[in-house]
């Protein structure tokens, strides 16, 4: 049957990964024609549920063509090769090893482009597939395992899996995980500069995160690319498994169905399943966005927003999985996925769906602060992403006329809470409902990333300072609840952007020049960079304070809040991203709302973007470094910081992978299990 079989070989996936295609890949987790997913080098928490997907690929054409007939008679064995009870040389069929039924054989075809030339010439490679999936299995004994897939008459793909040996003693009752989406050390440095005063080079005050006792760095690259997105980076943080761009809680397979990919259990699912403890999810993004979504959703397509919202409430319903009873707290934006209509799952009204399951539903700051702490609570405060700190607190007129009211009335969502108010309320609810079992809270400052994407550095840094203010208030609030010794507080990011500050800009001089080249002379570097003018409440551009200063804009007056006293000084930051679209730059705060640096021009293709003149009329043109179909900046390779304080903090020092955040949190919570 297999007239063009490959010769008998043993293939170790990791050793051949360098031969895989670069721009496009047949399947990221599978550099060979026999695919084991989870792939080689996967790590597991003892007792963590996961799915296994096996695929045999038979390319019809292209450089890998082998006749186009995939082997339906492949076999798969598991054996433990390192650790106690090892079974080296005695591999068992997976059905016997896991005590499950033999899966049904599946078949499908898919296409991909081998490189940019193939895409340009519209010449895809066709691949035929046979496959099986084992659902909801687990490995309980720490050690090293060998997974062997045999196909095409003796060819083998071998994957090494490791079940980590973790201490089983629980160190903390609670975890607060803050994620500054896209936040880097360079951004933190810039935020400190504009919000905290210096005298002769010495800061008089510091950021809250500056005071954390343990600092580490995590590497963010994903399974099959060194630049990650928020979906698979969140998957790594929450599950300990690296995945592919756009994937939430799964390894991406090659099937057409975005919901049948092999799943991995998240820390929220494991924690609730094993302890009955509380789970809180807070974000300033639309709540179905990648970072909150990855706690409960399992799909390779992060854009399945309606299904993501359903997963918050009902868990995974298409295959047997963890028994999920919903979070205690779900706060954010994204009303379009809750209002009955084309954007909600199956057209349902998810405000009603949550209410049916006992949730209190709130839609503004006033309701949030008044709602009792005893109830599970859904808080959706706007359509799409929530308003930025700078617009809620300084340029408040920008809140009017957006048709973003969460009730679907097309009114303005003026009464929105901030990250601090949502986080403190979430802690109060979790603490009251789960004081004995403990709780896990993820709180995301989402628009650090979103505003970096559109080159709106002022708003991005405002979001970062709001995060720091929230961290400070959280630490104080935990102390008032007597929960400090029981709670690990982590502050980290999911990825970075290539942002930095290189000097200052005299915006008055820049605006007065008539040519682009002359305007560039307004930039001051080295000695000419001068000092930060953002902490000076008066300046030539803004004689009165237009921002906030100590103890302003906070519901918790015992905690000093540090933001720029002046968001529009004459001398601003000379800052930029390393990768950007065509745009104009005048280095001034955009008072009319978030930036739109590049736009499509009438008469040109919809995917062709040019600098938006109106975005910075007084500025000069900066040519883009990205493809012309990009209208905003992109993520970068940089490691991102990790700040830790509380029981188990010592685990988070040093440099490590993003998956280690999961394993360290799991160890702190004592989630490893040696038996079912």
């Amino acid at each position: 049957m297999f007239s063009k079989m490959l010769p008998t070989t043993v293939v170790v996936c990791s050793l051949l990964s360098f031969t895989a295609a670069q721009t496009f890949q047949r399947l990221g987790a599978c550099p060979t024609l026999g695919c084991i997913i989870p792939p080689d080098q996967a790590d597991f928490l003892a007792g963590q549920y996961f799915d296994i997907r096996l695929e045999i690929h038979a390319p019809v054409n292209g450089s890998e063509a082998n006749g186009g007939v995939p082997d339906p008679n492949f076999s798969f064995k598991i054996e433990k090769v390192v650790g106690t009870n090892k079974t080296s040389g005695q591999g068992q069929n997976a059905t016997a090893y896991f005590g499950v039924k033999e899966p049904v054989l599946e078949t499908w075809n898919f296409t991909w482009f081998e490189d940019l030339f193939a895409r340009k010439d519209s010449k895809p490679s066709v691949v035929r597939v046979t496959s099986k999936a084992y659902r909801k299995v687990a490995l309980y004994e720490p050690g090293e395992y060998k997974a062997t897939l045999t196909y095409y008459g003796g060819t083998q793909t071998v994957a090494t899996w490791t079940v980590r040996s973790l201490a089983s003693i629980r160190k903390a009752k609670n975890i607060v995980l803050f994620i500054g989406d896209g936040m880097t050390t360079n951004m933190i440095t810039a935020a400190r500069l504009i919000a905290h005063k210096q005298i002769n080079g010495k800061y008089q005050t510091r950021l809250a995160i500056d005071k954390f006792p343990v600092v580490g760095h995590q590497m963010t690259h994903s399974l099959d690319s060194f630049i990650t997105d928020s979906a698979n980076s969140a998957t790594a943080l929450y599950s300990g498994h690296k995945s592919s761009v756009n994937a939430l809680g799964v390894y991406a397979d090659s099937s057409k169905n975005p919901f049948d990919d092999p799943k991995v259990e998240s820390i929220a699912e494991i924690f609730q399943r094993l302890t009955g403890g509380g789970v809180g999810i807070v974000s300033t993004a639309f709540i179905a966005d990648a970072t909150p979504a990855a706690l409960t959703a399992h799909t390779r397509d992060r854009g399945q927003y309606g299904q993501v919202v359903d997963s918050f409430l009902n868990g995974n319903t298409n295959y047997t999985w963890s028994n999920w009873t919903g979070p205690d707290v779900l706060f954010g934006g994204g009303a379009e996925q809750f209002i009955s209509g084309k954007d909600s799952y199956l057209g349902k009204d998810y405000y009603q769906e949550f209410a049916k399951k006992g949730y209190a539903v709130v839609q503004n700051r006033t309701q949030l602060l008044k709602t009792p702490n005893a109830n599970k609570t859904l808080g959706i405060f706007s359509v799409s992403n929530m308003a930025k700190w700078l617009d809620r607190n300084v340029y408040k007129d920008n809140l009017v006329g957006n048709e973003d009211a969460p009730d679907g009335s097309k009114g303005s969502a003026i009464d929105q809470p901030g990250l601090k108010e949502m986080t403190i309320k979430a802690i109060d609810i979790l603490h009251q409902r789960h004081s004995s079992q403990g709780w896990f809270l993820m709180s995301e400052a989402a628009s650090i990333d979103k505003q970096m994407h559109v080159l709106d550095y002022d708003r991005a840094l405002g979001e970062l300072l709001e995060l720091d203010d929230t961290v400070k208030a959280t630490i104080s609030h935990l102390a008032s609840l007597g929960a400090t010794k029981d709670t690990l507080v982590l502050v980290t990011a999911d990825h970075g952007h290539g942002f930095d500050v290189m000097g200052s800009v005299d915006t008055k001089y820049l605006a007065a020049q008539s040519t682009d080249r002359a305007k560039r002379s307004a930039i001051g570097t080295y000695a000419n960079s001068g000092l930060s003018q953002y902490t000076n409440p008066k300046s030539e551009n803004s004689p009165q304070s237009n921002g906030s200063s100590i103890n302003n804009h906070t519901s918790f007056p015992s905690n000093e809040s540090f933001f720029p006293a002046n968001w529009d000084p004459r001398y601003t930051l000379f800052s930029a991203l390393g990768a950007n679209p065509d745009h104009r730059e005048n280095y001034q705060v955009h008072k009319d709302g978030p930036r739109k640096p590049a736009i499509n021009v009438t008469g040109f293709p919809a995917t062709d973007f040019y600098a938006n003149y109106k975005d910075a009329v007084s500025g000069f043109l900066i040519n883009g470094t990205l493809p012309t179909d990009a209208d905003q900046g992109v993520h970068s390779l940089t490691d991102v910081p990790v700040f830790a304080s509380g029981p188990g903090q010592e685990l988070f020092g040093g440099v490590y992978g993003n998956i280690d955040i999961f394993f360290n949190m799991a160890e702190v919570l004592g989630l490893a299990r040696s038996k079912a």
Side-chain angles (χ1 to χ4, degrees):
M1 180 178 180
F2 301 104
S3 59
K4 295 187 178 181
M5 291 181 184
L6 298 177
T8 301
T9 56
V10 176
V11 179
V12 180
C13 298
S14 62
L15 296 180
L16 290 191
S17 61
F18 69 91
T19 66
Q22 181 75 10
T23 306
F24 310 113
Q25 298 175 44
R26 176 169 36 78
L27 182 61
C30 182
T32 69
L33 297 183
C35 312
I36 301 174
I37 308 173
D40 186 47
Q41 303 301 302
D43 287 32
F44 301 84
L45 176 70
Q48 178 182 25
Y49 291 150
F50 65 99
D51 295 339
I52 300 171
R53 168 71 78 183
L54 308 175
E55 296 187 16
I56 308 301
H57 290 185
V60 175
N61 60 316
S63 63
E64 298 179 302
N66 73 342
V69 182
D71 187 353
N73 300 312
F74 55 87
S75 63
F76 182 58
K77 292 185 176 182
I78 306 285
E79 59 183 301
K80 189 176 184 185
V81 294
V82 176
T84 59
N85 300 319
K86 63 182 180 180
T87 57
S88 297
Q90 303 176 36
Q92 279 187 287
N93 184 282
T95 55
Y97 196 92
F98 292 111
V100 297
K101 294 181 180 179
E102 184 66 26
V104 174
L105 183 71
E106 303 173 62
T107 61
W108 63 76
N109 301 336
F110 72 93
T111 62
W112 71 294
F113 293 110
E114 291 199 4
D115 59 20
L116 291 168
F117 293 104
R119 185 180 70 174
K120 183 178 180 180
D121 295 337
S122 298
K123 294 182 178 179
S125 294
V126 178
V127 181
R128 294 173 180 157
V129 180
T130 51
S131 176
K132 291 182 179 180
Y134 301 81
R135 302 289 179 184
K136 195 184 175 185
V137 299
L139 296 168
Y140 292 93
E141 294 183 359
E144 187 174 295
Y145 294 75
K146 178 182 176 182
T148 304
L149 176 64
T150 303
Y151 54 101
Y152 288 147
T155 297
Q156 292 185 335
T157 295
V158 176
T160 298
W161 294 342
T162 300
V163 176
R164 294 203 186 184
S165 179
L166 302 180
S168 58
I169 299 174
R170 186 168 176 176
K171 298 180 179 181
K173 183 184 290 186
N174 317 309
I175 288 181
V176 182
L177 173 62
F178 287 105
I179 296 179
D181 200 306
M183 180 179 69
T184 65
T185 300
N186 294 355
M187 296 175 200
I188 293 169
T189 304
R192 185 188 303 114
L193 178 69
I194 66 174
H196 293 263
K197 292 182 179 180
Q198 296 182 51
I199 297 177
N200 294 329
K202 183 177 181 180
Y203 280 104
Q204 303 303 292
T205 54
R206 301 288 291 276
L207 295 165
I209 56 177
D210 290 340
K211 302 171 186 177
F212 273 49
V214 175
V215 180
H217 278 84
Q218 48 133 327
M219 299 172 281
T220 65
H221 48 269
S222 56
L223 173 74
D224 49 12
S225 63
F226 52 76
I227 305 298
T228 188
D229 81 323
S230 291
N232 75 88
S233 59
T235 297
L237 293 173
Y238 302 156
S239 74
H241 290 261
K242 289 181 178 288
S243 190
S244 304
V245 168
N246 293 327
L248 293 168
V250 299
Y251 285 98
D253 64 22
S254 69
S255 73
K256 294 180 175 63
N257 187 341
F259 301 110
D260 72 348
D261 304 76
K263 304 180 296 299
V264 287
E265 197 175 18
S266 77
I267 192 160
E269 293 170 321
I270 298 169
F271 180 71
Q272 189 183 86
R273 172 169 65 87
L274 296 180
T275 72
V279 174
I281 304 172
V282 173
S283 178
T284 54
F286 65 98
I287 201 64
D289 202 10
T291 303
L295 284 166
T296 63
H298 297 279
T299 172
R300 71 164 177 268
D301 178 9
R302 61 181 286 180
Q304 299 290 333
Y305 302 133
Q307 185 106 358
V308 167
V309 168
D310 187 73
S311 78
F312 287 137
L313 184 62
N314 298 313
N316 190 82
T317 57
N318 57 334
Y319 296 99
T320 178
W321 197 237
S322 294
N323 180 30
W324 174 255
T325 59
D328 294 80
V329 174
L330 186 65
F331 293 162
E336 61 272 31
Q337 274 84 52
F338 290 82
I339 299 167
S340 176
K342 62 181 180 63
D343 293 322
S344 68
Y345 183 57
L346 301 179
K348 295 181 181 179
D349 182 331
Y350 270 83
Y351 290 131
Q352 290 185 7
E353 295 297 313
F354 273 79
K356 288 176 186 176
K357 289 200 171 184
Y359 282 80
V361 178
V362 296
Q363 295 183 326
N364 57 52
R365 175 184 179 275
T366 302
Q367 293 174 357
L368 174 71
L369 298 180
K370 289 181 178 179
T371 196
N373 297 329
N375 300 323
K376 283 187 172 184
T377 305
L378 170 69
I380 301 299
F381 305 106
S382 70
V383 170
S384 190
N385 302 307
M386 294 179 66
K388 314 306 173 277
W389 184 93
L390 195 58
D391 299 306
R392 292 197 329 270
N393 293 278
V394 181
Y395 303 113
K396 299 180 182 181
D397 288 347
N398 294 331
L399 300 181
V400 178
N402 298 317
E403 298 186 353
D404 58 350
D407 60 1
S409 65
K410 296 190 180 299
S412 299
I414 296 174
D415 186 19
Q416 296 185 41
L419 183 67
K420 178 163 60 177
E421 292 157 321
M422 291 192 292
T423 301
I424 297 300
K425 186 64 175 182
I427 290 172
D428 285 339
I429 293 171
L430 291 166
H431 184 73
Q432 180 164 333
R433 290 177 55 81
H434 297 281
S435 59
S436 59
Q437 309 103 312
W439 44 266
F440 172 87
L441 171 63
M442 189 286 296
S443 179
E444 182 201 18
S447 286
I448 299 173
D449 169 74
K450 297 184 187 304
Q451 295 307 294
M452 279 289 164
H453 271 296
V454 296
L455 321 186
D456 199 328
Y457 312 127
D458 295 291
R459 281 179 174 75
L461 296 181
E463 298 297 293
L464 197 158
L465 289 168
E466 181 183 34
L467 170 62
D468 189 69
D469 192 39
T470 303
V471 170
K472 179 185 289 187
T474 295
I475 292 171
S476 176
H477 198 59
L478 289 170
S480 72
L481 296 173
T484 301
K485 64 180 177 60
D486 295 326
T487 307
L488 172 65
V489 180
L490 297 172
V491 185
T492 189
D494 50 351
H495 60 78
H497 289 259
F499 168 86
D500 210 344
V501 176
M502 291 71 63
S504 66
V505 181
D506 184 342
T507 59
K508 181 179 179 180
Y509 184 82
L510 185 150
Q513 308 311 302
S514 58
T515 67
D516 282 7
R517 293 186 67 83
K519 289 177 183 292
R520 287 164 56 182
S521 64
I523 295 170
T525 59
Y526 298 107
N528 292 336
S529 63
L531 299 173
S532 170
Q533 299 299 309
Y534 290 84
T535 55
N536 179 6
K538 296 182 179 181
S539 77
E540 233 177 298
N541 282 4
S542 183
Q544 300 298 324
S545 173
N546 63 1
S548 64
S549 56
I550 295 174
N551 284 334
N552 197 15
H553 303 300
T554 173
S555 300
F556 308 94
S558 61
N559 295 287
E560 293 180 331
S561 299
F562 294 92
F563 293 87
N566 184 356
W567 284 94
D568 189 25
R570 171 177 170 177
Y571 296 91
T572 61
L573 300 185
F574 169 41
S575 53
L577 289 182
N580 51 261
D582 291 345
H583 67 287
R584 297 180 65 82
E585 189 61 79
N586 63 6
Y587 303 101
Q588 290 184 275
V589 65
H590 285 64
K591 299 177 183 179
D592 295 331
R595 294 186 67 176
K596 190 173 184 179
I599 58 173
N600 177 248
V601 177
T602 302
F604 289 85
T607 56
D608 205 1
F609 289 91
Y610 295 84
N612 179 9
Y613 178 79
K614 294 180 180 179
D615 182 60
V617 174
S618 63
F620 57 90
L621 177 67
I622 297 178
N623 289 324
T625 55
L626 293 171
T628 56
D629 62 356
D631 64 344
Q632 58 180 237
V634 297
H635 300 170
S636 69
L637 177 63
T638 184
D639 293 352
V640 295
V642 183
F643 302 87
S645 179
Q649 64 187 30
E650 68 280 357
L651 297 174
F652 296 89
V655 180
Y656 40 82
N658 49 9
I659 65 171
D660 295 299
I661 299 289
F662 165 80
F663 287 104
N664 291 343
M665 291 192 299
E667 182 167 356
V668 168
L669 292 172
L671 298 181
R673 293 293 184 270
S674 59
K675 58 183 178 180

